[in-house]
């Protein structure tokens, strides 16, 4: 049983959760951050930036910074103001009454308010090379990494709006973008399709899947396989963007908090309030539009301020 009731428990430790930790710690709310499980690729402490290399678009770092280093800086800043960390994964929650209850396996923690910042994950192809090459020519974010591919031949995998959006954006930098789709028809909206077809730098490779990514410490090409007759061939690219969709990390909250049809946590307009009073959500777990570290951090700040004001009004 929990022996004390905390003001706030923050679940998740990417830019959103750690910014919420900095703000709530500085407001003397003594937050407990349950930061995730180091061995996991979707719940790892620090979130998705732990899987990237150089981050060039986070304001305040004119020379860029490595993703893991940036997240260590966030964490130290929160710790400096007294945030407490538990390096483990939440296994169950009960938000049906206050204080709210959160379990890490058999250990129970209680809090007057909760900030959910469990993030989202990019779907991957399931190839062995992906973990090795992510951040080394393999990316899931054109906005973040497109700049590194000036003048190169690269590939984008997927046939939805994300894939077309990424491919179109990447033509600003790359000489040629091959869009690889497993069927002979795109899932993307008509207007996005027209945009791709009209772009001379985008070439469509229909009815193919990526079955191997070559390279030891950087992408040196890919193997593609025809979904029609199984023919295998190689494509000479130096970059691969996987754009086959994202999944918010909301499994813990099904039946507990309102979700959008897309699976993202639902928050009230212009706030981080969920449908349960005292439970706030921020970052990629509730944002399917922007998905940037800086926007996640911004919404983490919003969640901390919302929680602080809500707690204040309780007294
Ligand atoms: P999505 O619509 O689910 O599309 C995923 C694409 O990846 C599909 O074409 C799918 O192929 C393919 N795919 C899935 N798993 C694959 C695998 N293992 N190997 C190869 N290909 C695979 O995801 P999304 O494009 O990220 O879009 C998500 C939502 O956000 C959609 O509602 C979309 O409209 C919206 N969105 C809108 C915009 C915009 O309007 N500007 C931009 C981005 C996203 P199949 O087609 O064969 O299933």
């Amino acid at each position: 049983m929990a022996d004390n009731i905390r003001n706030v428990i923050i679940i998740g430790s990417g830019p959103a959760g750690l910014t919420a930790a900095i703000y709530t710690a500085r407001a003397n709310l003594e937050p407990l951050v349950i930061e995730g499980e180091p061995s996991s690729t979707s719940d790892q402490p620090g979130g998705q930036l732990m899987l990237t290399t150089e981050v060039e678009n986070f304001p305040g770092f004119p020379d860029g910074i490595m993703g893991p280093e940036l997240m260590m800086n966030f964490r130290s800043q929160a710790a400096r103001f007294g945030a407490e960390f538990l390096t483990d994964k939440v296994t169950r929650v009960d938000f049906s009454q206050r204080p709210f209850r959160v379990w890490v396996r058999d250990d129970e923690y209680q809090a007057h308010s909760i900030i959910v910042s469990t993030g989202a994950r990019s779907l991957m192809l399931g190839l062995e090379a992906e973990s090795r090459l992510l951040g080394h020519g393999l990316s899931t974010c054109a906005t973040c990494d497109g700049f590194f591919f000036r003048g190169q031949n690269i590939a984008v995998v997927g046939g939805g709006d994300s894939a077309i959006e990424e491919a179109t954006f990447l033509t600003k930098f790359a000489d040629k973008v091959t869009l690889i789709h497993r069927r002979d028809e795109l899932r993307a909206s008509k207007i996005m399709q027209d945009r791709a077809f009209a772009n001379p730098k985008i070439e469509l490779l229909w009815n193919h899947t990526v079955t191997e990514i070559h390279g030891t410490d950087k992408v040196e090409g890919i193997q593609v396989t025809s979904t029609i007759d199984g023919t295998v061939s190689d494509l000479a690219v130096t970059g691969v963007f996987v754009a086959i969709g994202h999944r918010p990390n909301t499994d813990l909250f099904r039946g507990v908090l309102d979700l959008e049809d897309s699976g993202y946590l639902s928050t009230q307009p212009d706030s981080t309030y969920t449908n349960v009073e005292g439970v706030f959500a921020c970052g990629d777990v509730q944002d399917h539009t922007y998905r940037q570290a800086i926007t996640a951090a911004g919404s983490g700040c919003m969640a901390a301020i919302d929680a602080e004001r809500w707690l204040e009004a309780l007294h």
Side-chain angles (χ1 to χ4, degrees):
M1 260 306 284
D3 53 3
N4 66 335
I5 303 173
R6 296 178 176 267
N7 291 310
V8 57
I9 289 178
I10 298 171
I11 308 175
S13 61
L18 292 179
T19 302
I22 292 167
Y23 273 76
T24 50
R26 291 193 78 252
N28 282 338
L29 294 176
E30 299 173 326
L32 171 67
V33 183
I34 305 181
E35 62 178 344
E37 202 179 31
S39 59
S40 162
T41 49
S42 58
D43 303 300
Q44 71 278 14
Q48 294 175 80
L49 281 189
M50 298 304 282
L51 306 174
T52 61
T53 48
E54 181 129 34
V55 178
E56 286 191 329
N57 58 4
F58 200 88
F61 296 91
D63 301 321
I65 182 166
M66 299 303 273
E69 189 188 349
L70 179 61
M71 295 324 298
M72 284 316 295
N73 288 349
F74 270 69
R75 193 181 188 279
S76 321
Q77 196 171 348
R80 179 180 151 213
F81 297 113
E84 199 183 321
F85 289 88
L86 179 64
T87 310
D88 214 326
K89 190 178 163 177
V90 172
T91 45
R92 186 159 67 96
V93 296
D94 181 355
F95 298 161
S96 61
Q97 55 186 15
R98 295 204 298 266
F100 301 119
R101 300 197 292 165
V102 170
W103 285 266
V104 174
R105 286 184 286 273
D106 293 334
D107 296 333
E108 182 186 328
Y109 298 83
Q110 297 189 352
H112 297 297
S113 71
I114 302 281
I115 295 177
V116 176
S117 50
T118 46
R121 58 189 185 276
S122 298
L123 297 181
M124 301 303 287
L125 300 169
L127 302 173
E128 181 270 327
E130 283 177 318
S131 54
R132 185 175 73 244
L133 295 171
L134 195 62
H136 302 278
L138 175 67
S139 171
T140 55
C141 176
T143 312
C144 320
D145 299 329
F147 198 70
F148 300 121
F149 293 89
R150 272 163 298 181
Q152 300 183 32
N153 280 356
I154 60 178
V156 174
V157 189
D161 282 328
S162 293
I164 306 278
E165 195 169 63
E166 303 248 315
T168 307
F169 178 76
L170 288 166
T171 59
K172 290 179 196 290
F173 313 101
D175 275 356
K176 180 179 162 192
V177 178
T178 305
L179 183 62
I180 303 169
H181 184 38
R182 62 185 178 183
R183 294 187 292 134
D184 62 357
E185 195 186 359
L186 294 170
R187 177 178 296 279
S189 52
K190 181 77 174 61
I191 187 166
M192 299 289 275
Q193 296 196 23
D194 290 346
R195 207 168 288 167
F197 296 146
N199 191 321
K201 282 187 170 180
I202 297 180
E203 188 171 298
L204 263 301
L205 180 61
W206 301 103
N207 300 308
H208 277 80
T209 53
V210 176
T211 40
E212 211 167 293
I213 306 173
H214 304 305
T216 310
D217 49 15
K218 63 180 190 338
V219 171
E220 287 169 355
I222 55 176
Q223 181 196 72
V224 291
T225 301
S226 163
T227 52
I228 306 279
D229 59 13
T231 313
V232 174
S233 49
D234 273 348
L235 206 63
V237 292
T238 47
V240 185
F241 286 78
V242 177
I244 61 173
H246 293 85
R247 286 287 174 278
N249 298 319
T250 48
D251 288 353
L252 270 179
F253 310 109
R254 281 186 192 281
V256 175
L257 296 173
D258 283 354
L259 306 182
E260 306 280 355
D261 290 343
S262 54
Y264 286 78
L265 283 188
S266 179
T267 47
Q268 293 172 28
D270 300 324
S271 86
T272 62
Y273 278 70
T274 66
N275 62 306
V276 175
E277 240 191 82
V279 179
F280 306 88
C282 53
D284 286 14
V285 73
Q286 54 87 54
D287 166 27
H288 48 82
T289 307
Y290 301 104
R291 294 197 293 246
Q292 299 299 301
I294 187 68
T295 50
S299 76
C301 166
M302 289 166 63
I305 292 173
D306 284 345
E308 184 189 345
R309 291 180 182 162
W310 184 82
L311 287 165
E312 186 66 30
L314 278 187
H315 300 306

